Each structure stands twice: as structure tokens, then as C-alpha cells.
Amino acid sequence: MNIQIFGTKKCSDTRKAERFFKERRIKYQFIDMKEKGMSRGEFNSVKQSVGGVEAMINENAKDKEILTLMKYLSDSDREEKLFENQQAITTPIVRSGRQATVGYCPEIWKEWE
């Protein structure tokens, strides 16, 4: 199993996701989204796995201007704006191959074991 956790060090849900995998002795790779972020391929893979861009948007993100702007954009423009402003994505994003989750979802991660 090849687990990737995209998140930030200050996000409590990201820390809970790390703890979930540590407790089960499952190795994972942590990617700090403030430093690196997702590549276009990773972004598209997560988008397809979770059912689209809408499921990835964090309605409680600090950047309210980006959230307001995205409400009025077309679907393709919204996707591009979210890719450019990854701080508006709900964290953690946990990937295992082609499967992915957005947010804290231990019930789904248990199925991956």
C-alpha cells in the first residue's frame, strides 16, 4: 500500500490522519501543501476519485475572496482557480493508488487496509 497524505502541519485533521496510519504501522508519505502542493496529475486523479472539484473545496478556507470568486466561475475555470490556489482545498487529502479521500475519513481508510 502506497499512502500519500497531502495537508498542512497546522491542520488538526491532517495530524489525525497521520496518527491513524502511524497507529496501524502503515508507511505513508506526507506532502506539506504550503511548501509543495499537488501536481496537475495528482490534482486530476484526486478530482476524479472524489467526484469533482466541488468535493475538494474547503468552504471554511481563510481566503474568502477566492471562495467567493469560485462561486461565479464556470466549472473549468473553477477547477483551474482551485489548482492555482490550493490553500482552498480541504485537507487532508489521502491517496492510495487511484483511490483518494478529502477530509478525515477513517472508515474509508480502514477498507484500504
Side-chain angles (χ1 to χ4, degrees), residues 1 3 6 9 12 19 25 27 32 39-40 44 47 50 54 63 65 73 76 80 82 94-95 99 101 108 113:
M1 188 178 338
I3 301 290
F6 291 88
K9 293 176 182 169
S12 64
R19 186 172 38 240
R25 294 187 176 98
K27 292 185 178 186
D32 191 343
S39 70
R40 175 57 79 178
N44 288 336
K47 179 186 71 170
V50 300
E54 294 301 320
D63 195 346
E65 291 178 19
L73 293 174
S76 61
E80 190 60 37
L82 187 61
V94 180
R95 291 183 63 213
Q99 299 173 315
T101 61
I108 295 173
E113 292 181 61

Side-chain angles (χ1 to χ4, degrees), residues 56-68 70 82 85-90:
M56 297 173 67
I57 296 174
N58 180 2
E59 297 296 332
N60 299 320
K62 290 182 181 178
D63 195 346
K64 300 297 181 195
E65 291 178 19
I66 294 296
L67 293 175
T68 303
M70 282 197 277
L82 187 61
N85 299 282
Q86 292 188 14
Q87 72 274 11
I89 295 176
T90 302

Side-chain angles (χ1 to χ4, degrees), residues 23-111:
E23 288 173 351
R24 287 156 181 77
R25 294 187 176 98
I26 298 172
K27 292 185 178 186
Y28 63 89
Q29 176 186 13
F30 175 74
I31 296 100
D32 191 343
M33 291 184 70
K34 286 191 177 191
E35 293 177 12
K36 188 171 183 224
M38 288 189 280
S39 70
R40 175 57 79 178
E42 291 166 335
F43 182 86
N44 288 336
S45 174
V46 170
K47 179 186 71 170
Q48 288 177 345
S49 181
V50 300
V53 173
E54 294 301 320
M56 297 173 67
I57 296 174
N58 180 2
E59 297 296 332
N60 299 320
K62 290 182 181 178
D63 195 346
K64 300 297 181 195
E65 291 178 19
I66 294 296
L67 293 175
T68 303
L69 176 62
M70 282 197 277
K71 289 179 183 177
Y72 299 104
L73 293 174
S74 66
D75 289 342
S76 61
D77 290 340
R78 185 177 303 130
E79 178 181 330
E80 190 60 37
K81 186 58 81 175
L82 187 61
F83 179 72
E84 291 170 6
N85 299 282
Q86 292 188 14
Q87 72 274 11
I89 295 176
T90 302
T91 56
I93 294 175
V94 180
R95 291 183 63 213
S96 176
R98 297 220 176 260
Q99 299 173 315
T101 61
V102 176
Y104 183 66
C105 305
E107 61 283 347
I108 295 173
W109 304 333
K110 284 179 185 175
E111 295 173 9

